[in-house]
C-alpha cells in the first residue's frame, strides 16, 4: 500500500505538486462534513483499485499527500457515515464518488443504460414508497467514471500569448452555440475534430464567427455532465448538457485528444484561438442543480459526500426541495456550497481563460432560505469578488419555484436574458399585439426594467430564440410543437410559442409561403439587431436552421440539432446570412445603434431634435393615444447628435442619425418621412423586402416625402441632411432624391 503523508487541506481537489524533500506526488483534499471516514481510491491502467484511508481532518476537510501519484492517474473517493435517509443522511461507502473538484473526468455515467449499482438505494425494492430508504451495498466503481489528476502547468498550456478581447458590454454580440452541434457536420473541419473543442478552434469554424461579426460565443454547458436514465432507456442522450456533475472538468466527450487530462489543454487552446480572433468565451453554467436528481436519483458525488450539506431538503429531510424541475437544488446558502461554486467560477476565469458566464435558472441561486433574495450570499459574494465582478455575468432570471420570475430585478453588474423582449417582438411580427406600449420599451433598451441602480441598456440581453424553443426558421414555419422524437408523447416543451406558420404547418413547396417566411425571417432578424441592448443569436439562425418543429430538442444528439452547413449555399439562407453580417457591421460602425445609456426622449438641441422619437405612418410624432391603439407599423428615429458619453480621448461621440420602420402589415404602406429638423433626405440602407441583401439599396428620399414600405418588412434609413436644401444640393453625390411632399 502506498504511503499517505498528512498533506494539506487546501486547495480542495487533487493537486499535483512537489512535496517535502522534493518528492513529486499529489495532494488530495475533500470536504465531507459529518462523514465518519474517507478513503482515497486510486486506479491503475488495468482498473485495479487501491484504497488509502485519509486520516487527516482539518475543519471537516479530509486530506493527504500521496507520493508518486502523477498526472493522468484516475481516482475517486468512498465516504463512510450513517445511512438514514429519513434524516437526510445517505452515506454509502459502496459507492465510488467523483471528486467535486476533479479537473478532468475519464469515462461516462452510462451511455447505453445506467447500472443499478450506481444508486445508493435498492432501485427494485418491492415496496416503492420506501424504495429510496433501503441501502444498496453493491460496488459502483466498475460503472462510474473517475477523476483524473491534472498537471496545472502542462507544457503548451501557457497563457503568455493570450490576449483577452475585453469587449465592452455595449459593443457585445452574443452567439449561443453547442460545441458538438456547431462543428459536427462542418465540411471544412477534419472529421476527427468535428464535435470537439479542437473543432471549434479550427480556422474554418472561427472564420464563420468572424465573418458574421459576433463578439462572443456562449457555449452550452461544457462542465462534465451525465445522461438521465429515462433518456438512456429510450436510446437517447442528454444533448444540451444541463445535467452537470463536475464543475471543474471540461466535458470529456467533447475532447479530440483524449480523456486522461488532455481535454483540459484542448479546451485552453480553443479559448486562445477564439481570443486571437477577438471573440470572447462565455460559459452557460448549471450551478442550480446536479445530475444526482431527487431521492430516487443516483449517488455519484455530492449526495454521497454530504447530502444534507450540499442540497436543499424538504422539512422531512428525506426528500429534496426542487426549485429547478430537475429533482434537486444546491443549497447555496451553505458556506461549502458557495465555496464550491465560486472556486469553480474563478478556476474557469483564471486558469481556463473564459470571459464570463450565463447562469442557468439564476433565481434558484439567489434564494436565501426559501425566497429569492437580491441580497443573498451568492449575489453578495459575486459582487465583492475581485475576479468575478470583472467578467461578464448573465442571469437567466427565473426558476420554477414560487416567486422565481425575476426579470429586471438582478443587481448592477448583472445582465439578464430578457424574455419580455422575445415575447413582444414575436407578437408584433405575428400580428398579436393589442397595442405597442410594451414594444416601445423593448426596442429602446427596456428602461422600465433596467433604469435603476446605475444599470444600462446593455443589462438587457435581447433574444428571439434560444436553445430552448423554436429556431428562428421554425418560428415562421410552425405554430405547434412537434416533439414526438423525444419519446414523451409531445407533452414536453412549452405550448406558448408565439409563432406564426405563414399559412402552412411545417415545410411546404408553396413558393408564396416560402417567400413570406423568408421575409418574416429577415424582419425578425433585423428587429433584433437594430434594437438597443445586447443581441443574442443562436447558432444557425443566421442561415435558417430548422429542428423540424421540435421546441425542446434537449435529447436530440443528431441532425435535428446539429448545424447544417449546406444551408450556406442555398439562396434564401445565404441572403439571410448576408443580412446578418451587414447589420452586425453597421452595428459595429455606428455607436447610435449600441448606446451605453438610456434615451432621455427630451430635446437637448436648439432645433428641438430629441435623441429618440416615435412616428406614425403619417410622419407625425406618436401621441399618448397612439401607444394604446393596435398598430402594425412602428417607426423610431435615433439621433446621432445626442449620444451620451465620450470616446477614449474625451471627445464627444457623434454619429449618423437613422430612421427605423418596422412594418408587420399584410399590405404595402404609404409612409411619410419626417421632414426637417429630423431629416431633409434619407438613404435606404436596409430593405428586408429584398431577397438580395449583399449590399445597400442606396435609394434616397426627400424628408417630408412619401415612401412605399413593402408588406412585412423593415426599412433602415440613414439621415443624409437635416434640411431639404442640403438634400437638393447633395443630389449628385448621393443619387437621385425621390418622394414628393
Amino acid at each position: 500500500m502506498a504511503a499517505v503523508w498528512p498533506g494539506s487541506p487546501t486547495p480542495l481537489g487533487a493537486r499535483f505538486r512537489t512535496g517535502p524533500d522534493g518528492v513529486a506526488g499529489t495532494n488530495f483534499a475533500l470536504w465531507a462534513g459529518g462523514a465518519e471516514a474517507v478513503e482515497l481510491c486510486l486506479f491503475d491502467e488495468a482498473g485495479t483499485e487501491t484504497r488509502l484511508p485519509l486520516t487527516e481532518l482539518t475543519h471537516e476537510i479530509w486530506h493527504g499527500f500521496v507520493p508518486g501519484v502523477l498526472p493522468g492517474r484516475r481516482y475517486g473517493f468512498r465516504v463512510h457515515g450513517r445511512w438514514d435517509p429519513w434524516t437526510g443522511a445517505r452515506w454509502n461507502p459502496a459507492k465510488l464518488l467523483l471528486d467535486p473538484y476533479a479537473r478532468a473526468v475519464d469515462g461516462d455515467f452510462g451511455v447505453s443504460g445506467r447500472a443499478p449499482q450506481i444508486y445508493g438505494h435498492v432501485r427494485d425494492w418491492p415496496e416503492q414508497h420506501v424504495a429510496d430508504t433501503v441501502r444498496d451495498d453493491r460496488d459502483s466503481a466498475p460503472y462510474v467514471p473517475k477523476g483524473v489528476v491534472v498537471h496545472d502547468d502542462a507544457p503548451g498550456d501557457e497563457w503568455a500569448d493570450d490576449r483577452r478581447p475585453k469587449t465592452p458590454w455595449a459593443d457585445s454580440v452574443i452567439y449561443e452555440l453547442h460545441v458538438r452541434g456547431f462543428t459536427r457536420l462542418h465540411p471544412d473541419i477534419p472529421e476527427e475534430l468535428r464535435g470537439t473543442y479542437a473543432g471549434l478552434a479550427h480556422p474554418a469554424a472561427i472564420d464563420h464567427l468572424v465573418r458574421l461579426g459576433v463578439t462572443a460565443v456562449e457555449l452550452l454547458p461544457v462542465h462534465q455532465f451525465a445522461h438521465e436514465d429515462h433518456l438512456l432507456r429510450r436510446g437517447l442522450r442528454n444533448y444540451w448538457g444541463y445535467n452537470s456533475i463536475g464543475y471543474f472538468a471540461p466535458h470529456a466527450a467533447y475532447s479530440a485528444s483524449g480523456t486522461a487530462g488532455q481535454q483540459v489543454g484542448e479546451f485552453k487552446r480553443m479559448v486562445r484561438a477564439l481570443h486571437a480572433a477577438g471573440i470572447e468565451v462565455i460559459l452557460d453554467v448549471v450551478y442550480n442543480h446536479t445530475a444526482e436528481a431527487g431521492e430516487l436519483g443516483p449517488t455519484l458525488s455530492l449526495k454521497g459526500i454530504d447530502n444534507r450539506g450540499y442540497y436543499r431538503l424538504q422539512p422531512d429531510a428525506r426528500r429534496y426541495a426542487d426549485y429547478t424541475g430537475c429533482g434537486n437544488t444546491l443549497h447555496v446558502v451553505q458556506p461549502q456550497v458557495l465555496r464550491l461554486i465560486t472556486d469553480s467560477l474563478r478556476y474557469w476565469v483564471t486558469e481556463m481563460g473564459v470571459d464570463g458566464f450565463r447562469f442557468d435558472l439564476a433565481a434558484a441561486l439567489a434564494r436565501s432560505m426559501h425566497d429569492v433574495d437580491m441580497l443573498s450570499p451568492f449575489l453578495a459574494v459575486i459582487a465583492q469578488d475581485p475576479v468575478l465582478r470583472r467578467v461578464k455575468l448573465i442571469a437567466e432570471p427565473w426558476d420554477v419555484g414560487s416567486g422565481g420570475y425575476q426579470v429586471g430585478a438582478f443587481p448592477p453588474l448583472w445582465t439578464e436574458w430578457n424574455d419580455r423582449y422575445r415575447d413582444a417582438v414575436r407578437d408584433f411580427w405575428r400580428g398579436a399585439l393589442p397595442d405597442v406600449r410594451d414594444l416601445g420599451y423593448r426596442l429602446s433598451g427596456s428602461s422600465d426594467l433596467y433604469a435603476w441602480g446605475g444599470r444600462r441598456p446593455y443589462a438587457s440581453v435581447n433574444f428571439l430564440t434560444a436553445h430552448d424553443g423554436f429556431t428562428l426558421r421554425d418560428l415562421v414555419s410552425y405554430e405547434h410543437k412537434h416533439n414526438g422524437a423525444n419519446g414523451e408523447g409531445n407533452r414536453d416543451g412549452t405550448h406558448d410559442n408565439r409563432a406564426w406558420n405563414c399559412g402552412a404547418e411545417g415545410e411546404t413547396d408553396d413558393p408564396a409561403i416560402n417567400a413570406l417566411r423568408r421575409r418574416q425571417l429577415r424582419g425578425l432578424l433585423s428587429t433584433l439587431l437594430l434594437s438597443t441592448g445586447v443581441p443574442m443569436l443562436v447558432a444557425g439562425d443566421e442561415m435558417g436552421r430548422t429542428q423540424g418543429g421540435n421546441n425542446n430538442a434537449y435529447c436530440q444528439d443528431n441532425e435535428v440539432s446539429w448545424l447544417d452547413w449546406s444551408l450556406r449555399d442555398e439562396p434564401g439562407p445565404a441572403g439571410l446570412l448576408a443580412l446578418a453580417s451587414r447589420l452586425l457591421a453597421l452595428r459595429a460602425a455606428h455607436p447610435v445603434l449600441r448606446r451605453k445609456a438610456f434615451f432621455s426622449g427630451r430635446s437637448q438641441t436648439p432645433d428641438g431634435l430629441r435623441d429618440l422619437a416615435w412616428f406614425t405612418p403619417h410622419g407625425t410624432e406618436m401621441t399618448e393615444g397612439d401607444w394604446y391603439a393596435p398598430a402594425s407599423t412602428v417607426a423610431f428615429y435615433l439621433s446621432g447628435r445626442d449620444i451620451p458619453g465620450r470616446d477614449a480621448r474625451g471627445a464627444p461621440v457623434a454619429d449618423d442619425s437613422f430612421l427605423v420602420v418596422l412594418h408587420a402589415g399584410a399590405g404595402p404602406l404609404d409612409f411619410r418621412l419626417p421632414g426637417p429638423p429630423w431629416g431633409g433626405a434619407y438613404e435606404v440602407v436596409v430593405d428586408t423586402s429584398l431577397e438580395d441583401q449583399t449590399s445597400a439599396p442606396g435609394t434616397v428620399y426627400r424628408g417630408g416625402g412619401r415612401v412605399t414600405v413593402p408588406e412585412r418588412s423593415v426599412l433602415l434609413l440613414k439621415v443624409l441632411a437635416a434640411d431639404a436644401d442640403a438634400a437638393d444640393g447633395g443630389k449628385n453625390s448621393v443619387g437621385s432624391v425621390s418622394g414628393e411632399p
Side-chain angles (χ1 to χ4, degrees), residues 181-254:
F182 185 73
T183 61
R184 183 64 182 82
L185 299 177
H186 200 302
D188 300 324
I189 296 176
E191 188 170 357
E192 67 273 13
L193 301 183
R194 296 175 190 172
T196 70
Y197 306 119
L200 183 53
H202 191 274
I206 293 178
D207 179 68
H208 179 79
L209 301 172
V210 172
R211 288 176 179 270
L212 180 58
V214 300
T215 70
V217 291
E218 182 176 300
L219 307 182
L220 267 67
V222 295
H223 288 163
Q224 185 69 37
F225 63 85
H227 305 290
E228 294 91 332
D229 186 55
H230 70 91
L231 292 178
L232 297 174
R233 290 198 304 269
R234 297 201 299 269
L236 300 170
R237 296 162 60 89
N238 187 314
Y239 171 69
W240 288 349
Y242 292 90
N243 207 36
S244 299
I245 196 61
Y247 290 131
F248 291 77
H251 189 60
Y254 300 157

Side-chain angles (χ1 to χ4, degrees), residues 44 149 161 194 223 234 272 293 328 344 359 361 414 424 445 460-461 503-504 533 541 544 601 616 623 711 731 735 741:
D44 61 20
V149 176
D161 60 342
R194 296 175 190 172
H223 288 163
R234 297 201 299 269
R272 285 205 302 271
N328 65 54
S344 168
F359 292 81
L361 300 182
W414 288 82
S460 177
V461 175
D541 273 356
T616 71
T623 65
E711 64 273 15
K731 283 183 183 179

Side-chain angles (χ1 to χ4, degrees), residues 640-715:
R641 296 169 54 184
D642 186 26
I643 302 176
R646 295 182 292 174
D647 64 18
R649 294 174 177 263
V653 178
D655 194 10
D656 294 313
S657 297
F658 291 91
L659 179 69
V660 181
V661 183
L662 310 179
H663 178 50
L669 172 72
D670 187 30
F671 187 92
R672 182 180 289 274
L673 296 168
W678 303 103
Y682 297 83
E683 178 185 11
V684 179
V685 179
V686 172
D687 177 357
T688 65
S689 70
L690 304 175
E691 290 279 358
D692 183 1
Q693 292 291 329
T694 56
S695 61
T699 309
V700 177
Y701 293 91
R702 187 190 307 277
R706 297 181 182 277
V707 57
T708 299
V709 183
E711 64 273 15
R712 306 188 192 280
S713 64
V714 174
L715 285 186

Side-chain angles (χ1 to χ4, degrees), residues 67 150 373 458 490 492 521 660 708:
V150 173
D373 178 7
Y458 46 76
N490 207 38
D492 62 304
L521 285 175
V660 181
T708 299

Side-chain angles (χ1 to χ4, degrees), residues 47-60:
T48 302
E49 178 182 356
T50 300
R51 301 185 186 183
L52 304 175
L54 297 180
T55 58
E56 298 295 323
L57 181 61
T58 305
H59 304 309
E60 298 186 313

Side-chain angles (χ1 to χ4, degrees), residues 273-352:
L274 288 163
H275 282 179
I279 298 171
E280 294 185 303
V281 178
I282 298 171
L283 301 189
D284 195 334
V285 290
V286 190
Y287 294 112
N288 55 79
H289 76 280
T290 75
E292 292 184 299
E295 61 272 11
L296 297 178
T299 298
L300 309 175
S301 182
L302 305 181
K303 186 180 287 187
I305 295 171
D306 186 354
N307 185 56
R308 294 177 299 188
Y310 278 108
Y311 293 114
R312 291 180 180 268
L313 303 180
Q314 293 187 17
D316 66 3
R318 174 186 165 192
R319 294 182 173 83
Y320 293 76
D322 182 9
Y323 296 109
T324 66
C326 300
N328 65 54
T329 308
L330 280 178
H331 202 350
V332 182
V333 174
Q334 296 281 11
Q336 66 276 3
V337 181
L338 192 57
R339 179 181 180 183
L340 171 68
I341 294 173
T342 53
D343 282 354
S344 168
L345 292 169
R346 282 189 292 267
Y347 170 75
W348 287 97
V349 173
T350 60
E351 299 195 38
M352 301 295 273

Side-chain angles (χ1 to χ4, degrees), residues 420-433 439 463-466 468-472 475 494 496-500 520 524:
R420 289 184 61 178
Y421 176 93
R422 175 200 64 197
D423 293 349
V425 174
R426 285 189 180 189
D427 281 346
F428 173 76
W429 281 104
R430 70 188 180 106
L433 273 183
L439 180 66
F463 69 103
L464 293 175
T465 59
D468 188 1
F470 280 156
T471 67
L472 197 64
L475 193 64
T494 182
D496 184 18
N497 295 298
R498 299 173 187 253
W500 178 48
Q520 286 287 97
L524 286 160

Side-chain angles (χ1 to χ4, degrees), residues 464-600:
L464 293 175
T465 59
H467 63 275
D468 188 1
F470 280 156
T471 67
L472 197 64
R473 176 172 166 179
D474 288 354
L475 193 64
V476 302
S477 304
Y478 298 87
E479 293 182 8
H480 309 286
K481 61 184 180 179
H482 297 263
N483 298 355
N486 297 351
E488 300 177 38
N490 207 38
R491 295 183 300 273
D492 62 304
T494 182
H495 297 282
D496 184 18
N497 295 298
R498 299 173 187 253
W500 178 48
N501 63 21
C502 299
E505 185 72 1
E507 297 300 313
T508 178
D509 294 327
D510 188 316
I513 290 178
N514 286 328
L516 175 57
R517 287 175 176 176
R518 292 194 297 271
R519 183 172 289 200
Q520 286 287 97
L521 285 175
R522 294 192 294 269
L524 286 160
L525 182 65
S526 299
T527 304
L528 174 64
L529 298 184
L530 294 174
S531 297
T532 300
V534 177
M536 184 185 79
L537 294 167
V538 176
D541 273 356
E542 75 278 14
M543 297 186 291
R545 183 178 73 88
T546 179
Q547 291 179 170
N550 192 323
N551 74 353
N552 189 37
Y554 78 104
C555 56
Q556 298 299 321
D557 188 5
N558 49 48
E559 288 82 356
V560 170
S561 298
W562 301 340
L563 204 157
D564 179 4
W565 289 94
S566 68
L567 291 170
R568 290 181 301 179
D569 303 321
E570 297 181 10
L576 190 64
L577 178 57
L579 175 62
S581 299
R582 284 189 57 229
L583 286 169
L584 288 178
L586 283 167
R587 190 179 181 93
H590 292 283
V592 73
L593 299 177
R594 44 185 173 82
R595 287 175 57 99
K596 298 179 181 179
F598 287 108
F599 296 98
S600 69

